[in-house]
C-alpha cells in the first residue's frame, strides 16, 4: 500500500465546473496536509495547507480533511483552463532538531487535471 | 525576494560519470530539503538539512549520493558514480524556522538523464 494515494487521472472538467481531487494516506500520525499544483516542467507550488479536521477555504479552493477516514480532498470551484495542471497531495509528520521545526513531505503520484473551455 | 534556485536545469551524463547538483535556498531559510522524482513515480524525500547539519538522510538511495551544505547556505548533491536508475528530476526545497515553517518552497528542479 502506498503511503499517499491519489487517482492519477486524468480528470477532465468543463470550464466553470467544480473539480474534485481526492487523496488518502496511511500514516495516522500525519499532522499536516498540503496540496501542491505543478505545471508541466515547473516546480511544485503550494496552494493549500490544512492541519485540522474540517474545511478550509481560500478563494476558489477548498481543502477538506477527515483524519478518522485518513482522507483529504481539494475542491476547485469555477474551474478555469489555467487550473490545468498536476495536483499533488502531500502529508507530513513534524520533527524538531537543531532548534528548528521541520517536516519531510510524503507525496502522492499526483492527479492530472484538465479544464476544457 | 528571490526563490529557490537550482543549477543546472538539465544534465545528461553517461553511466559511471559524476554529477553535482546545486541548490540555493531562499535567503535565511534554515531548513533545506532534497527530493527526487523518477519517471512514473511520486516525488520522494531524500534528505533534510538544518543549517549545515544533516538531520534526516533516511531517503538517500545508497552511498553513491553525497549531500553537503556549506556554511548553512547553498547545498550540493553529488552522485558518484551515476547509474541509469538515478535519472529523474531532483528538487530542492527550503523553509524558514520561524512562523510559516511548514511551507516548503520548491526550486525548478534539475532534470538528470543518465545514459
Amino acid at each position: 500500500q502506498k503511503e499517499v494515494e491519489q487517482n492519477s487521472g486524468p480528470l477532465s472538467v468543463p470550464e466553470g465546473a467544480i473539480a474534485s481531487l481526492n487523496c488518502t494516506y496511511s500514516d495516522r500520525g500525519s499532522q499536516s496536509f498540503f496540496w501542491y499544483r505543478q505545471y508541466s516542467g515547473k516546480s511544485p507550488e503550494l496552494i493549500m495547507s490544512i492541519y485540522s479536521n474540517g474545511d478550509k477555504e481560500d478563494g476558489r479552493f477548498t481543502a477538506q480533511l477527515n483524519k478518522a477516514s485518513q482522507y483529504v480532498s481539494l475542491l476547485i470551484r469555477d474551474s478555469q483552463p489555467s487550473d490545468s495542471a498536476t495536483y499533488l497531495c502531500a502529508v507530513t509528520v513534524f520533527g524538531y532538531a537543531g532548534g528548528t521545526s521541520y517536516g519531510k513531505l510524503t507525496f502522492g503520484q499526483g492527479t492530472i487535471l484538465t479544464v476544457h473551455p | 525576494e528571490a526563490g529557490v534556485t537550482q543549477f543546472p536545469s538539465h544534465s545528461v551524463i553517461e553511466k559511471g560519470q559524476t554529477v553535482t547538483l546545486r541548490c540555493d535556498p531562499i535567503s535565511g531559510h534554515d531548513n533545506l530539503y532534497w527530493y527526487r522524482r523518477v519517471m512514473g513515480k511520486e516525488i520522494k524525500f531524500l534528505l533534510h538539512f538544518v543549517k549545515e547539519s544533516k538531520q534526516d538522510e533516511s531517503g538517500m538511495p545508497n552511498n553513491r549520493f553525497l549531500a553537503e551544505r556549506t556554511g548553512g547556505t547553498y547545498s550540493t548533491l553529488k552522485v558518484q558514480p551515476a547509474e541509469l536508475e538515478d535519472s529523474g528530476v531532483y528538487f530542492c526545497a527550503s523553509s524558514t524556522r520561524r512562523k510559516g515553517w511548514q511551507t516548503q518552497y520548491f526550486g525548478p528542479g534539475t532534470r538528470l538523464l543518465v545514459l
Side-chain angles (χ1 to χ4, degrees), chain A residues 36-107:
Chain A
Y36 282 82
R37 177 177 61 197
Q38 187 177 24
Y39 294 112
S40 181
K42 301 296 185 182
S43 58
E45 173 194 11
L46 181 67
I47 54 172
M48 287 291 285
S49 59
I50 186 166
Y51 308 113
S52 55
N53 281 329
D55 295 359
K56 179 182 177 182
E57 186 175 318
D58 183 1
R60 296 186 297 112
F61 299 98
T62 298
Q64 299 173 316
L65 174 62
N66 183 326
K67 289 187 177 181
S69 301
Q70 296 174 250
Y71 174 88
V72 59
S73 67
L74 179 70
L75 299 177
I76 306 175
R77 290 181 299 281
D78 188 23
S79 296
Q80 301 297 310
S82 58
D83 295 326
S84 298
T86 298
Y87 288 80
L88 303 166
C89 173
V91 307
T92 192
V93 175
F94 297 147
Y96 187 82
T100 300
S101 299
Y102 70 94
K104 65 183 182 184
L105 296 168
T106 301
F107 284 90

Side-chain angles (χ1 to χ4, degrees), chain A residues 13-42:
Chain A
V13 300
E15 184 174 356
I18 295 175
S20 178
L21 304 162
N22 305 313
C23 171
T24 59
Y25 59 95
S26 61
D27 185 351
R28 284 195 172 274
S30 299
Q31 296 164 288
S32 291
F33 307 86
F34 304 90
W35 284 98
Y36 282 82
R37 177 177 61 197
Q38 187 177 24
Y39 294 112
S40 181
K42 301 296 185 182

Side-chain angles (χ1 to χ4, degrees), chain B residues 54-108:
Chain B
K54 293 176 192 175
Q55 293 299 327
D56 185 345
E57 293 183 85
S58 61
M60 294 288 262
N62 50 61
N63 59 10
R64 295 186 294 102
F65 289 75
L66 175 64
E68 295 180 326
R69 189 177 182 191
T70 305
T73 56
Y74 71 92
S75 174
T76 58
L77 180 63
K78 180 190 289 188
V79 185
Q80 180 182 28
E83 299 289 345
L84 301 180
E85 63 265 24
D86 300 333
S87 296
V89 183
Y90 290 76
F91 291 104
C92 174
S94 71
S95 72
T96 181
R97 60 184 290 184
R98 304 177 187 85
K99 183 180 179 182
W101 59 267
Q102 301 93 329
T103 299
Q104 294 184 28
Y105 297 89
F106 279 76

